Amino acid sequence: MLAKGDRLEVSAERAAGRLYGVPWATGLSHVVCLVDDRLVRISVDDAVEVGHRIGLAGTDMADLTFADAEIELGQTVACSDALGFAHCSILAGMMDATLALTITYANERSQFGRPLAKFQAVQQALAVFAEEAAAVTAAAQAAGRALDRSDGAFEVTAARIMASRGLT
């Protein structure tokens, strides 16, 4: 999960401070945050204090406090690229989850005595949706690899276009 790291102090391989409002915190193993235009990866298990709360949208949020946590430093990245990547990653996850829910619904819901998933038109629509979801996921993964190498502005822009196109 990508979090805001403006209250986190980072040295060579250690971090101390607090990450506020980490969304969907339950079950996370690591958090990636942006500190001074640099991606930092921290294990949630290294948090000395975890405060859970419910956000405005009803999502699970956490405030994580770190004292002397071991970190992995990533490449320096522009804030707009990091936010664009986060946006694409969230949309890819949403599309995958929506596809899974839609397939489940089509298999459970019956019309004219048979499941909706047995109708050719529904199968075609699900296939197109699956293709769009896979394309957005692949674009987001390519953008992440490009950012990890150092300059991923082009790949992030392409992934944002794919994600926007996939939502229409």
Side-chain angles (χ1 to χ4, degrees):
M1 178 54 57
L2 189 67
K4 188 176 177 185
D6 60 344
R7 298 197 180 175
L8 197 67
E9 294 183 25
V10 175
S11 64
E13 295 177 0
R14 296 283 192 212
R18 193 162 193 176
L19 296 177
Y20 290 97
V22 178
W24 305 291
T26 302
L28 286 180
S29 61
H30 290 83
V31 176
V32 175
C33 58
L34 191 62
V35 180
D36 299 327
D37 292 336
R38 191 168 188 118
L39 291 175
V40 176
R41 183 175 186 240
I42 308 171
S43 173
V44 174
D45 293 336
D46 290 343
V48 293
E49 183 183 333
V50 179
H52 286 279
R53 58 190 163 92
I54 301 298
L56 291 175
T59 58
D60 176 34
M61 306 284 278
D63 298 329
L64 306 173
T65 304
F66 299 94
D68 189 32
E70 186 176 335
I71 61 171
E72 293 177 42
L73 289 174
Q75 300 292 332
T76 301
V77 82
C79 185
S80 61
D81 291 343
L83 293 177
F85 171 66
H87 182 247
C88 293
S89 298
I90 289 169
L91 290 177
M94 287 171 46
M95 289 180 74
D96 286 343
T98 303
L99 177 63
L101 289 171
T102 304
I103 290 171
T104 300
Y105 178 80
N107 283 321
E108 292 174 354
R109 174 83 161 94
S110 292
Q111 190 69 36
F112 305 113
R114 52 185 205 171
L116 289 177
K118 297 293 184 186
F119 291 95
Q120 186 175 5
V122 173
Q123 291 173 353
Q124 175 65 26
L126 288 174
V128 169
F129 188 25
E131 177 183 291
E132 294 285 340
V136 172
T137 298
Q141 289 172 344
R145 285 190 298 273
L147 285 174
D148 197 34
R149 286 191 308 269
S150 73
D151 181 31
F154 174 79
E155 288 84 353
V156 169
T157 302
R160 292 179 83 176
I161 291 169
M162 285 300 299
S164 297
R165 185 179 165 274
L167 294 175
T168 59

